[in-house]
């Protein structure tokens, strides 16, 4: 193994050792803490006296989203968050919509975080919060963020995680201190309800806008979902993670909202949290607490910590611009050239540079309300798609192993539908509609961005003769601009449930061309290992399956993943589907997933319909009389739009296969056990 391969293995081992529950909590809470510094002002300006109630509702919605994101990320070891969930649960078009919305969110979040950071730095020099000084400093910070994103992360995984954990711990301590001081020194419960007339002051549009703005913290879940392939958490750890995150948000967000309204209560339908202090609301709270020297020192510490957190949030958001763009280019949602990686840093530098220019333009407007409103448009759309995707996966892939399973399920057409995901989808969708209707900037910018993206996506796919809804993958070598032998970015392998599966997956692994030169951030190719349950017309397609069949499918899929991921740079995605026809199912899945090749067994010709049930069962068709394996292979060769690669087993395996067919035929008194065509096929092998 070469030096690069050894470094790769060490890095992977380090990631595997460090990415556990505390790490995922730190990654997610980093956006929650930054969101508190950033979002309290715009939320309070819209929700007024109802801000604490909005924060409670937002924590509940965040909890519902956390459930869907954890289940979705546990299903497939693929980076990407809601776009990945949509790719597997819906189709490539919906995956593009989610990714395109998140791309807009990342640009807006970069601009908003940098703009807010300049206002928190006013604790050192007041001029940084106004006039040309604010603008110049914000532009310089955007430049710093862009360069950091292009250069990528520095230090090892353990070092980066330790640094992030320290920042999160400091933020939690400071925010708790602010809440405690406010409750002790500003305790005035009457000010919380002063001027509160829900439906009038604030109106319902303001309440829903505040709720949508608070959901921007879901970007932390998107970042955490990007580590799906490296997470090593037990089932119990996942459940604790889902319970801990919304509780932390509930306590801190609701607490800071209570203290904020006591410090700067609503007067004449306005709170200064959303006016004078909209860009630095926590500093505004401390300004009202006391003139004590200790409080002044705390204000300095909070201002510097908030600025550092927000700049880090901007770096993460700009890095997300590159990550999302690279993922979109790899799946041919954007031209491959757009996602080209820097030869030294391994980041899509051209996209990040363009993102820096756009963020600078956004900063120049200095309109926090417009930035936050448009961010709410994108994040609510992505969250709604994530919920719907997880729900649909319960129907399309019910037998897939779920390390975390959303509780509270009801049976619908044979599938266990998670009630929290349904509730989350409905509520997020309604809030998204409200933001579109009530917020001019979100409506104009968000819908225009979505329309331009959809038109460009459809035109690009059509001009490249690619399916609009089908999945297509490009090896990372193409993004690096390296010359390489012919490779397949996505290969479908229908499993047999026998020892021959290893040969099929190994063949696919060699064709994928993975090697130890691949970067850790992206996989080179995907092997789509599929188990097809072929059910007869007499049985409902969505009915329950015998436990033995489900267990057999899970075992075969787990084995395929273990074999396939022995190849460097190759990722194995597993799924089980139900169908009436084996051949049609293979062709349909390859088309839906945008596979570039199908690798399957070249079987002997069928020896008669009397054994069709057994022949069909070789690929999971137990319980129904599917077409013989030979008929399925012929159908796939004739109908598939991608290349079909048929492999023959070794001679001893062939003889064993024929022996078993003879024994099966004899047991069924089938006189047509072997046809002359079968014998000729055996001779040729």
């Amino acid at each position: 193994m070469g030096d690069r391969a050894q470094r790769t293995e060490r890095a992977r081992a380090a990631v595997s050792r460090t990415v556990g529950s505390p790490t995922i909590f730190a990654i997610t809470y980093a956006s929650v803490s930054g969101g508190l510094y950033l979002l309290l002002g715009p939320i309070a300006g819209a929700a007024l006296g109802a801000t604490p109630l909005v924060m409670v509702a937002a924590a509940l919605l965040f909890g519902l989203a956390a459930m869907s994101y954890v289940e979705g990320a546990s299903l497939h070891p693929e980076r990407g968050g809601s776009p990945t969930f949509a790719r597997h649960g819906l189709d490539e078009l919906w995956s593009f919509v989610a990714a395109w919305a998140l791309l807009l969110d990342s640009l807006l979040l970069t601009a908003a975080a940098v703009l807010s950071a300049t206002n928190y730095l006013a604790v050192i020099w007041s001029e940084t919060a106004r006039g040309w000084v604010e603008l110049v400093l914000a532009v310089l910070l955007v430049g710093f963020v862009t360069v950091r994103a292009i250069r990528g992360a520095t230090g090892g995984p353990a070092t980066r995680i330790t640094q992030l954990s320290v920042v999160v711990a400091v933020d939690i301590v400071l925010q708790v201190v602010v809440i405690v001081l406010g409750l002790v020194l500003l305790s005035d419960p009457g000010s919380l309800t002063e001027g509160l007339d829900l439906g009038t002051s604030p109106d319902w549009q303001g309440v829903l806008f505040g709720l949508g703005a608070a959901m921007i913290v879901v970007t932390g879940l998107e970042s955490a979902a990007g580590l799906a392939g490296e997470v090593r958490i037990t089932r119990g750890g996942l459940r604790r993670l889902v319970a801990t995150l919304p509780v932390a948000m509930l306590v801190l967000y609701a607490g800071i909202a209570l203290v904020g309204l006591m410090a700067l209560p609503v007067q004449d339908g306005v709170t200064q949290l959303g006016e004078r202090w909209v860009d630095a609301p926590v500093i505004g709270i401390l300004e009202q607490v006391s003139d004590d020297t200790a409080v002044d020192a705390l204000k300095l510490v909070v201002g510097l910590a908030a600025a550092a957190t927000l700049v880090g949030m901007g770096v993460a958001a700009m890095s997300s611009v590159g990550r999302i763009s690279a993922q979109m280019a790899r799946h041919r949602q954007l031209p491959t050239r757009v996602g080209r990686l820097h030869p030294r840093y391994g980041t899509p530098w051209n996209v990040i540079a363009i993102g820096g220019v756009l963020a600078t333009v956004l900063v120049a407007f200095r309109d926090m309300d417009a930035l936050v409103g448009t961010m709410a448009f994108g994040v609510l759309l992505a969250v709604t798609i994530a919920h719907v995707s997880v729900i649909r996966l319960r129907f399309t892939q019910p037998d897939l192993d779920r390390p975390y399973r959303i509780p509270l399920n009801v049976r619908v057409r044979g599938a266990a539908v998670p009630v929290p995901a349904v509730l989350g989808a409905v509520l997020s969708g309604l809030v998204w509609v409200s933001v579109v209707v009530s917020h001019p900037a979100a409506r104009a910018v968000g819908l225009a961005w979505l329309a331009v993206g959809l038109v460009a996506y459809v035109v690009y796919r059509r001009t490249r003769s690619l399916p609009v809804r089908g999945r297509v993958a490009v090896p990372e070598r193409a993004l690096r601009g390296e010359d390489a032998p012919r490779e397949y970015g996505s290969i479908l392998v229908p499993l047999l449930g026998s020892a021959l599966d290893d040969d099929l997956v190994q063949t696919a692994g060699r064709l994928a061309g993975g090697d130890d030169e691949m970067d850790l951030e992206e996989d080179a190719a995907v092997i789509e290992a599929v188990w097809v349950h072929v059910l007869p017309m007499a049985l409902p397609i969505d009915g329950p399956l015998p436990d033995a069949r489900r267990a057999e499918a899970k075992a075969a899929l787990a084995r395929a993943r273990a074999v396939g991921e022995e190849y460097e740079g190759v990722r194995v995605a597993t799924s089980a589907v139900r169908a009436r026809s084996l051949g049609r199912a293979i062709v349909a899945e390859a088309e839906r997933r945008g596979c570039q090749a199908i690798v399957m067994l070249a079987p002997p010709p069928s020896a008669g319909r009397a054994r069709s049930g057994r022949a069909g069962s070789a690929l999971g068709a137990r319980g129904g009389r599917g077409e013989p394996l030979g008929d399925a292979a012929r159908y796939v060769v004739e109908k598939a739009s991608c290349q079909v690669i048929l492999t023959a087993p070794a001679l001893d395996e062939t003889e064993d296969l024929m022996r078993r067919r003879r024994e099966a035929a004899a047991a069924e008194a089938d006189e047509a056990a072997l046809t002359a065509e079968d014998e000729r096929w055996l001779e040729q092998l």
Side-chain angles (χ1 to χ4, degrees), residues 590-614:
E591 177 72 19
R592 185 176 72 85
R593 300 163 188 266
C595 294
Q596 297 172 329
I598 300 171
V599 175
M600 61 185 299
L601 184 68
S606 173
R609 283 291 175 184
R611 296 190 316 282
S612 61
R614 286 186 179 274

Side-chain angles (χ1 to χ4, degrees), residues 264-317:
L264 297 164
V266 177
Q267 296 178 348
D268 299 324
V270 174
T271 172
Q272 291 304 309
L273 277 175
E275 296 291 332
R276 165 69 179 84
W277 299 102
V278 65
D279 294 330
V282 180
I283 298 301
I285 294 172
L286 290 175
E287 284 283 354
Q288 308 302 314
V289 168
S290 171
D291 293 331
D292 188 84
T293 303
V295 174
D296 289 339
L298 176 62
K299 185 168 63 175
L300 179 64
V301 173
V302 169
L304 293 175
T309 298
L310 289 166
V311 171
M313 197 174 186
V315 173

Side-chain angles (χ1 to χ4, degrees), residues 462-536:
R462 293 296 189 194
T463 55
R464 294 296 186 274
S465 299
L466 300 173
V468 173
R469 295 181 176 274
R471 292 164 59 182
V472 180
V474 177
E476 190 190 352
R477 291 180 185 272
L479 300 184
R480 291 184 178 276
E482 299 174 359
D483 295 328
R486 173 69 181 267
E487 294 178 341
Y488 297 98
S490 180
I491 303 174
L492 183 77
V493 180
L495 300 179
L496 300 167
S498 71
L500 297 175
D501 286 350
D502 288 2
D503 291 337
L504 293 173
V505 176
Q506 287 167 357
T507 299
R510 289 190 293 270
L511 291 171
D515 60 28
D516 57 11
E517 294 300 318
M518 293 302 164
D519 191 84
L520 281 177
E521 294 300 317
E522 297 289 343
D523 294 318
V526 180
I527 296 176
E528 301 277 1
V530 178
W531 180 278
V532 182
H533 294 287
V534 181
L535 302 176

Side-chain angles (χ1 to χ4, degrees), residues 173-194:
V173 170
L174 291 176
Q175 290 165 4
V176 169
V177 169
V178 171
I179 292 172
V180 172
L181 277 178
L183 291 175
V184 171
L185 301 178
L186 297 173
S187 183
D188 182 12
S191 63
L192 296 175
T193 58
E194 185 176 342

